[in-house]
Amino acid sequence: MDNQPPSSLLPMDIALDRLREALLPITESELSPLEYILGRTLAEPVVAPINVPPSDNSAMDGYAVHIDIAAAPGTQWHVIGTALAGAPWEGTIQSGECVRITTGAMLPDNANTVVIEEDVSLDGDTITLQETLVQGEHVRPAGDDVVKGDVVLASGKTLGVADIGLLAAMGIAEAEVIRPLRIALFATGDELKEPGATLKPGQIYESNRVALTHLLKSLPVEITNLGILPDDPKLLRETFLAAADSHDIVISTGGVSVGDADYTREILQEIGDIAFWKLAIKPGKPVAFGRLNNAWFFGLPGNPVSALVTAHQILLPAIRYMAGQDWHEPFRLKAVATKTFRKKPGRMDFQRAILTRNHQGDWEAEPTSGQGSHMLLSFTQANGYAVIPAESGDIPIGSEVTVVPFGAELLG
Ligand code: AMP
Ligand code: MG
């Protein structure tokens, strides 16, 4: 793996390329009930075990009849029974006979068409057609949706809501999916305390683990929370090594810059193999990524905004890729700046922004009040990023700016 020279900052696109080249999707799979497979990757193709629908049935409430090609207004049938959804009418209709039928009820033998209630007049046990009726109308034939034996979901598909509904519709209760990624997560810093505890002077509350855990929640992961670690190189080394033994990915926050108590990078360099550790992005310059025995590590920055942004931009695509999903380019839009975005050339900015649509339906964007990498409050006011290229300076009012709306992973 390429080691990064200390003075250089790696551009974001190169960092993402390196990630993709380095990572290998997981292939181990497990049989999992439908309840647990949203967002997971199908490990083998799904072949339809039955036709869906399983039998010809009615798309409407009406009367099941048999006609050749078409029937003209005035045609009459004698009502000889009722077919309900789940309670078929057993028997064969003869010429001149019909069966009252509800939506979803199986068609009686020899019926091939449903005339809807609104198109007939009922007089005693006889219905009279008021409109022209064409053969096959309002019938959902067996296999109309899914044909038995067809491959309906390909191996490698990320299972969405409709996929899971379809599996259930075919009577399938479990699917073979890629196993979840095992992730270890810890925060580092002598100053950090659990929320709920009392702070002594110089201490702050630890907010990265809970935010990151929620950020990753929609992904196929199992997270081991290893707590808060002090800035103690020996303990950090032991924790990294132990976590790498039993996890696919080890994530730490803090200690990756070059301060006195920033041991993370040093340790990873010593016991692992760093692919990059300084990115040309803001916030989030110090991000260490690389290999540690059989695991990957992500040493995220300590500042809460930097930790979230780098996790969102780098860790999430990496996890998705390892979980067998396609590598997606982020969905980006053009917006017009309604306030100046302040920026110095050099790094790619992910500024927290408020995105709105104006009366013409065009997107507008303004930066949130604070862009400091410690400012979570302003993050809470944002609904997207303005992504400003490295070489760009200020984006003045009225100029175009590229934006990425936050997804459910950030907004909940
Ligand atoms: P570091 O990356 O360790 O140099 O930390 C950078 C800044 O982020 C410092 O001001 C830390 O106090 C703060 N910080 C580090 N980790 C956390 C955390 N888990 N939660 C909140 N703030 C943190
Ligand atoms: Mg620290």
Side-chain angles (χ1 to χ4, degrees):
M1 228 179 283
D2 255 350
N3 265 358
Q4 187 180 4
S7 59
S8 73
L9 296 182
L10 196 66
M12 182 68 172
D13 50 343
I14 298 183
L16 290 175
D17 282 349
R18 277 201 198 169
L19 264 186
R20 193 166 29 169
E21 281 159 21
L23 300 172
L24 263 189
I26 286 187
T27 51
E28 295 151 69
S29 63
E30 62 188 22
L31 199 58
S32 187
L34 299 196
E35 198 182 337
Y36 304 112
I37 61 171
L38 185 66
R40 294 181 64 181
T41 308
L42 204 52
E44 48 187 44
V46 173
V47 176
I50 58 166
N51 283 324
V52 182
S55 51
D56 295 354
N57 69 98
S58 179
M60 301 288 279
D61 292 341
Y63 299 87
V65 298
H66 176 99
I67 60 174
D68 301 320
I69 307 172
T75 310
Q76 292 194 320
W77 294 273
H78 184 56
V79 185
I80 56 163
T82 301
L84 302 173
W89 184 80
E90 315 268 357
T92 305
I93 57 170
Q94 308 297 330
S95 156
E97 292 177 344
C98 72
V99 162
R100 196 173 147 59
I101 195 163
T102 60
T103 306
M106 197 172 132
L107 249 64
D109 282 348
N110 199 35
N112 61 5
T113 307
V114 170
V115 51
I116 60 174
E117 251 166 27
E118 295 86 332
D119 285 355
V120 295
S121 61
L122 177 65
D123 181 13
D125 279 348
T126 302
I127 57 168
T128 306
L129 188 61
Q130 307 294 315
E131 309 282 337
T132 302
L133 183 66
V134 176
Q135 193 197 72
E137 250 181 283
H138 307 303
V139 170
R140 303 188 289 213
D144 194 22
D145 185 16
V146 170
V147 176
K148 181 178 172 179
D150 279 0
V151 173
V152 286
L153 298 172
S155 177
K157 186 162 202 299
T158 305
L159 293 166
V161 172
D163 299 311
I164 298 170
L166 178 66
L167 289 169
M170 297 187 298
I172 296 175
E174 305 174 305
E176 190 70 25
V177 289
I178 300 298
R179 70 157 172 80
L181 266 68
R182 293 184 280 263
I183 292 185
L185 171 65
F186 58 93
T188 71
D190 287 338
E191 74 282 29
L192 304 176
K193 286 298 242 188
E194 293 276 2
T198 309
L199 292 186
K200 295 200 186 103
Q203 295 182 326
I204 59 166
Y205 289 116
E206 197 283 304
S207 58
N208 284 340
R209 279 172 309 148
V210 71
L212 292 174
T213 300
H214 283 291
L215 181 71
L216 303 185
K217 223 163 225 177
S218 63
L219 301 174
V221 296
E222 277 165 6
I223 300 175
T224 314
N225 182 347
L226 296 178
I228 300 172
L229 264 68
D231 294 310
D232 171 345
K234 185 167 173 287
L235 199 58
L236 286 170
R237 194 178 293 118
E238 284 166 11
T239 306
F240 267 117
L241 285 171
D245 243 11
S246 48
H247 295 86
D248 303 301
I249 294 178
V250 182
I251 304 167
S252 65
T253 71
V256 272
S257 28
V258 284
D260 283 345
D262 290 331
Y263 300 115
T264 306
R265 186 186 53 82
E266 255 173 59
I267 292 168
L268 290 172
Q269 203 143 34
E270 179 196 315
I271 59 176
D273 192 1
I274 294 188
F276 58 73
W277 66 280
K278 278 204 312 191
L279 299 185
I281 62 169
K282 190 181 169 197
K285 181 171 73 171
V287 182
F289 161 72
R291 191 81 179 150
L292 180 55
N293 297 334
N294 289 323
W296 297 102
F297 64 78
F298 289 82
L300 303 181
N303 270 309
V305 172
S306 310
L308 263 186
V309 171
T310 51
H312 194 218
Q313 296 301 317
I314 295 162
L315 181 61
L316 254 64
I319 291 175
R320 292 203 170 105
Y321 187 68
M322 280 186 74
Q325 302 184 9
D326 292 337
W327 188 272
H328 289 293
E329 287 302 313
F331 177 68
R332 290 185 174 171
L333 302 169
K334 295 283 182 204
V336 173
T338 50
K339 281 193 183 154
T340 301
F341 284 84
R342 300 268 166 226
K343 181 174 181 304
K344 293 198 192 93
R347 295 193 258 157
M348 177 185 249
D349 267 20
F350 289 88
Q351 296 202 15
R352 275 70 64 219
I354 300 164
L355 315 181
T356 45
R357 274 175 69 164
N358 64 22
H359 291 311
Q360 287 81 50
D362 298 323
W363 286 99
E364 295 181 343
E366 62 175 85
T368 55
S369 51
Q371 293 293 330
S373 55
H374 57 299
M375 292 180 161
L376 271 182
L377 177 61
S378 82
F379 207 143
T380 69
Q381 291 148 3
N383 61 351
Y385 296 117
V387 183
I388 312 177
E391 64 279 7
S392 170
D394 285 355
I395 306 236
I397 295 177
S399 296
E400 200 174 74
V401 60
T402 300
V403 296
V404 180
F406 289 164
E409 73 281 3
L410 272 175
L411 296 174

